[in-house]
Amino acid sequence: VFARLLDQTPNHPDFDKVFGQPDRPSAGIVFGEKGSGKTALRLLMQRKIDEHNAANTDRLAWVVRYDDLNPALERLAQHRAARRADPEKMLSDFNLADHMDVILSLAVTPLVDAALGESKVLANGDLRKLLRKMPKAKRIDLGLLAALYDQPISDDRQTRWSKLARKLKLGWVSSAVVLRWAAILWGMIAIACGLIHSLRGDVDDLETVLFVSASVGSALVALGCAVRLGSLYGLVNRVRRALRVVDPTKSDLSHSLGTLTITEARARPLPLPNDHDTRYQLMQRLLGVLKELGYVSLIVLVDRIDEPAAVNGETDRMKKLVWPMFNNKFLQQDGVAVKMMLPLDLRHALYREGPDFFQQARLDKQHMIDRLIWSGPLLYDLCGQRLAACSRPGETAAALTDLFDDDVSAQDLIDALDQMHQPRDAFKCLYAVMQEHCASVPADRPVWRIARLTLDQVRKLQSQRVQELYRGLTPA
């Protein structure tokens, strides 16, 4: 039913303000009560972006669904060496750099899936041809992003990286592995020359030269290998300390970063602990790669902030998780649109903040919807659309007034629904009306239209329930 509703034109007047234009991204913040349709707006945005991508193959938008923070919070707890860490302290430690790492991971992983032919998310052209035409600098950028942020569900990361490196023509064998085998080979030559020298008493000049050169070569290669590996492992340790919510293993990072030369890796921004600037640079590198594939924007849809186990719907915990994202530089990145669907509890907490917070957030520039409000006429139209979506295909849908007696007008229904304030409670009210009508009519004397008295009785009870909900006297 909901999928059919999404196919219809959105009727909430604030939708266009929040949605904007996919190829000219802008931030959007929506505050709404439980059941006010925030998730529906997010799904509708995703549907509209898909339609935009289908119609504009030269100006595509890459979508990131940021609606499940449980994995990131779990990795942060493990990184803090406290699987059962205090949720309050852990959430206080979750900063903007961590948010950006999660977003980069959610954006890069499906991109790597597409590059390896494991998904069809790309909407523009032959990917192999696009990768082949991509400049080397962009291919290195994609390789570095994959090394840092690729988080496959089941595939072995090292095998996956080797496949990607071959496609990007970055080489598929780690330089550390090459140096290690070179050292082993030189060592074997030195040992062979030493054995020949010990078994044969007489030694000619050629054997002496071979023995000395092999010994010196082995020592030099081993020294170079040690220096190279030491530099690589130092780089890996610094990166791992920074990537707390992605948390790649040392062996995976060593394998992937080792394929890139130290010069190539260090010439590009690498994440540092609590450093935002490198994340902004990595985000722009990602946008550069996406533009090579026809994508001009990155749209991040943030939802279900109150659902992680460590948050558990508590307002103070949601604040600690969301407040770092209220940063004007983060929300106004070129080519990036962050759309946040937030509980109304955070709106009340927001207006208790001081001037410094608002100066940093610059909410006047973020297309903010102070409260997602549904008027009686809007809810009446929405209920009519839902009734039509529930009809059998090919049948003429009944109007909402067709369910009631002739003395119940459309305005009566609008007035009743206006007291419900939001879609979930409007649907509950109509469902309760139908239940009450069916319970009061005997089966052998059916009445197929609902009386005004039934509507008035149920409306009064449902209105009281909604008011008690707002006052915190009843659960949602």
Side-chain angles (χ1 to χ4, degrees), residues 174-449:
S174 168
S175 56
V177 173
V178 173
L179 284 171
R180 190 180 299 118
W181 280 106
I184 293 173
L185 180 60
W186 277 105
M188 291 175 64
I189 294 174
I191 292 172
C193 290
L195 288 174
I196 293 173
H197 176 73
S198 61
L199 292 175
R200 295 179 56 186
D202 55 331
V203 180
D204 56 27
D205 293 339
L206 178 60
E207 290 176 350
T208 302
V209 169
L210 287 175
F211 176 73
V212 172
S213 62
S215 301
V216 173
S218 299
L220 291 176
V221 172
L223 179 62
C225 183
V227 172
R228 173 67 175 83
L229 289 178
S231 179
L232 175 63
Y233 290 145
L235 188 67
V236 166
N237 287 330
R238 287 197 300 273
V239 170
R240 284 197 75 241
R241 283 197 300 271
L243 298 179
R244 307 185 303 168
V245 294
V246 180
D247 198 25
T249 65
K250 284 186 179 181
S251 59
D252 290 339
L253 266 180
S254 300
H255 179 80
S256 53
L257 291 179
T259 305
L260 303 169
T261 66
I262 289 292
T263 304
E264 289 174 339
R266 286 183 171 165
R268 284 159 173 76
L270 290 172
L272 299 172
N274 299 321
D275 181 65
H276 302 156
D277 290 339
T278 53
R279 270 72 172 193
Y280 287 124
Q281 294 176 47
L282 287 166
M283 193 76 75
Q284 292 304 312
R285 299 267 177 171
L286 173 61
L287 286 172
V289 171
L290 289 173
K291 284 179 181 177
E292 295 292 328
L293 305 177
Y295 289 82
V296 298
S297 62
L298 176 69
I299 300 179
V300 183
L301 303 178
V302 182
D303 193 15
R304 297 165 60 187
I305 287 293
D306 56 335
E307 295 186 11
V311 175
N312 200 26
E314 295 185 22
T315 303
D316 288 340
R317 295 185 181 186
M318 285 190 284
K319 275 179 54 178
K320 291 171 181 173
L321 197 58
V322 173
W323 260 221
M325 288 192 285
F326 281 127
N327 180 289
N328 185 52
K329 183 177 179 180
F330 170 71
L331 295 174
Q332 295 293 323
Q333 296 176 78
D334 290 337
V336 179
V338 181
K339 314 284 188 181
M340 292 196 279
M341 315 295 156
L342 303 176
L344 192 63
D345 302 347
L346 287 178
R347 178 251 192 186
H348 303 319
L350 180 71
Y351 285 106
R352 292 195 292 269
E353 295 293 333
D356 291 342
F357 177 87
F358 285 95
Q359 185 63 32
Q360 176 182 320
R362 290 300 307 273
L363 296 178
D364 57 304
K365 300 173 65 175
Q366 317 304 348
H367 300 92
M368 188 178 82
I369 304 302
D370 191 61
R371 183 173 183 175
L372 196 60
I373 297 175
W374 295 80
S375 64
L378 283 175
L379 292 173
Y380 178 83
D381 290 342
L382 186 62
C383 290
Q385 289 179 3
R386 181 156 181 170
L387 186 62
C390 292
S391 302
R392 292 189 179 91
E395 287 187 357
T396 301
L400 202 58
T401 52
D402 293 339
L403 301 177
F404 295 85
D405 281 343
D406 292 335
D407 61 342
V408 178
S409 65
Q411 189 59 47
D412 293 329
L413 291 173
I414 289 173
D415 292 341
L417 293 173
D418 187 56
Q419 299 178 37
M420 301 301 109
H421 302 296
Q422 56 191 17
R424 183 179 297 174
D425 291 317
F427 298 149
K428 283 183 178 181
C429 178
L430 288 181
Y431 180 68
V433 168
M434 295 177 187
Q435 276 192 315
E436 181 64 23
H437 173 75
C438 293
S440 61
V441 174
D444 59 345
R445 285 176 290 170
V447 178
W448 301 107
R449 304 184 77 182

